[in-house]
Amino acid sequence: MEGSSKERLPLVEEFFSVQGEGFHTGRAAYFIRLGGCDIGCSWCDTPFSWDPQLHPMVETDIIIDHVIQSGTDSAVITGGEPLMWNLDYLCSGLKRQKIRTFIETSGAYPLSGNWDWICLSPKKAKPPRDEVCRKADELKVIIEDNSDFDWAEKHKKIVNKKCRLFLQPEWSRFERIIPEIVSYVKKNPEWRISLQVHKYMHIP
Ligand code: SF4
């Protein structure tokens, strides 16, 4: 699917909401969820996005129009794994409209698009490419068990020095894992905790 879409993208859903995770928590933004992901995280909360063929190929200009009509100044492109698609056309169209561009990615596919903010969430099943690690503004590692702390530290060494570092409890194991994460950030203060606050607010 790499580079296959200049003018159409598989649109799973789009909605105007508030970023619930990571550095930009609390920021209003228009979310564009693209179909396609072959990574298969066991705890994925959007498995309906995995098969792009289940979703309509929507003209990218129409998607951009919806962002403009929402009145927001920020768009978050998420998935699925959005970098399975070439996002140059989408990004340049949003930029022309002075919309800030944010992406949530595993980093497993080549980087396309011109981003104001890259949030990298590396997955063990398909590790991120070095080019995405080097350009990431934010490293957000999902903590499911104690082995994930090593995975987080491994990527801390690869990302650039300005990259913000977050540990986020895997939602279904929150009660069990959050004490471990709290203990970890006390000993390793360069890391911050990211919570999925949109779930507490009951918004998408
Ligand atoms: S990379 Fe994201 S969309 Fe893909 S399976 Fe993992 S959590 Fe789900």
Side-chain angles (χ1 to χ4, degrees):
M1 279 181 271
E2 289 175 28
S4 63
S5 177
K6 182 181 176 190
E7 295 173 2
R8 284 177 185 264
L9 291 165
L11 184 61
V12 177
E13 58 179 349
E14 53 183 332
F15 49 88
F16 189 18
S17 189
V18 173
Q19 175 60 274
E21 306 179 4
F23 184 78
H24 291 288
T25 294
R27 175 192 286 276
Y30 197 87
F31 287 75
I32 298 164
R33 187 182 306 288
L34 300 180
C37 186
D38 59 358
I39 296 174
C41 304
S42 59
W43 40 262
C44 180
D45 57 5
T46 56
F48 52 88
S49 70
W50 291 358
D51 183 353
Q53 295 188 348
L54 297 180
H55 307 286
M57 295 298 289
V58 177
E59 280 183 35
T60 307
D61 287 332
I62 291 175
I63 298 173
I64 293 169
D65 233 33
H66 292 167
V67 180
I68 297 165
Q69 283 166 23
S70 77
T72 188
D73 65 354
S74 301
V76 178
I77 316 306
T78 186
E81 172 41 66
L83 286 179
M84 289 179 86
W85 305 89
N86 187 306
L87 300 177
D88 291 339
Y89 186 86
L90 173 64
C91 267
S92 55
L94 290 168
K95 290 275 190 187
R96 267 197 299 280
Q97 299 296 331
K98 312 271 188 261
I99 308 271
R100 283 185 283 184
T101 54
F102 300 72
I103 188 167
E104 304 269 338
T105 179
S106 68
Y109 282 84
L111 191 61
S112 59
N114 177 10
W115 303 99
D116 291 306
W117 193 267
I118 297 173
C119 176
L120 170 66
S121 186
K123 305 298 185 319
K124 289 175 184 163
K126 201 157 189 173
R129 294 174 166 239
D130 280 353
E131 57 165 338
V132 188
C133 291
R134 283 195 302 273
K135 290 189 176 168
D137 298 284
E138 171 179 359
L139 173 63
K140 184 174 70 188
V141 180
I142 311 304
I143 304 296
E144 183 181 16
D145 59 41
N146 284 331
S147 72
D148 293 322
F149 293 116
D150 289 342
W151 180 244
E153 292 296 336
K154 176 180 175 178
H155 288 87
K156 186 183 91 175
K157 293 192 183 106
I158 305 172
V159 295
N160 70 73
K161 289 199 168 21
K162 288 186 188 161
C163 187
R164 274 76 163 196
L165 306 174
F166 289 93
L167 302 174
Q168 181 169 296
E170 196 278 298
W171 182 254
S172 69
R173 297 174 197 224
F174 183 92
E175 296 298 336
R176 192 182 60 72
I177 202 68
I178 195 66
E180 306 279 348
I181 299 177
V182 169
S183 169
Y184 195 86
V185 299
K186 284 167 148 180
K187 292 183 200 132
N188 301 276
E190 68 276 25
W191 290 96
R192 303 281 166 89
I193 297 175
S194 168
L195 300 178
Q196 294 178 293
V197 301
H198 53 294
K199 295 190 177 177
Y200 296 100
M201 292 188 281
H202 307 297
I203 57 175

